[in-house]
Amino acid sequence: MEQQILKNLNNDEFFHPFDKDAMGLVNVVPGLDKVTEFIVSNSVETLYNIQLKGAALRITEKNAPKVYQVFRESMEVLEMECLPEIYLNRGYHFSNRIIGYKNPIVLLDTNCIDKLDDTQLKFIAGRCLGGLRLKHNKLEFLCDVIELLRGFFPGVVTALSVPLAQWHRKAELSRDRAGLLTCQDFESAVQVLMLMSGAPYGTEKVIDIYDYLEQAVVFQKSEGLEKIGRTIETLSANNAWIIERASELFNWYESGKYDELIMTHC
């Protein structure tokens, strides 16, 4: 099915409240603007990007027309004006990240290309582009370079570390929503999460996604020591549990909000 362009989609309509609240807590940390300005004025971002571009393959219309077209179509679905540069890094997971603040680029693991079909890849593309729409790239870049700045702004870095880690986990929830709005196929979105969770390649389309989602629901409802352990592990983690992401995406889809946005904006 051809993806429908989402006309006049407002960011708040797919901005997960956990992500929004966590971003607000980071943005009020004293010294945040100074740290950001230091990064920009001292070319930290430029040096960081040079290292990346020297080790990764830039995706273009000539060397990977199919991948490039998927991102072009995803950009149109989300009504974005320009497509960021896309780089491919040899990786055997399904990492998909936004790198850089002033000149953000998208970095993908090769598995995103090797193992996903076009609709599944549109879920990944939508996650990255949705993150750019929500201006995640500023905080994402701070997460990447914060350790480099510890010697210059030790107090600010210490104050930022915990809220940044918490935000980083919550940001995934908004990006998953953007991915679903882009690929417009719930099963494909969940299949990608299943592959990230460890489903053997090629089996994600025959595994019952609702059995996987039942695992997600049970995980979210864990009680007693399991709940305490999950909370402790969460506090020290930079990335959201994939099963937690699946549960949150399922709840949003089942609430009817996804269908409402598709009906309203297509």
Side-chain angles (χ1 to χ4, degrees), residues 144-181:
D144 286 337
V145 302
I146 194 168
E147 289 303 318
L148 299 176
L149 303 177
R150 191 173 294 278
F152 297 96
F153 300 101
V156 173
V157 168
T158 300
L160 274 173
S161 295
V162 173
L164 268 177
Q166 293 299 303
W167 166 79
H168 198 269
R169 292 192 313 102
K170 304 305 182 185
E172 302 280 18
L173 307 180
S174 294
R175 294 183 197 179
D176 287 339
R177 289 181 175 186
L180 176 55
L181 286 169

Side-chain angles (χ1 to χ4, degrees), residues 3 52 60 77 96 119 133 138 170 212 238 248 251 260:
Q3 275 68 38
L52 170 66
T60 69
V77 168
N96 50 101
T119 305
R133 277 194 55 155
K138 175 182 177 180
K170 304 305 182 185
Y212 174 70
N238 287 326
E248 288 292 331
N251 290 339
E260 179 184 330

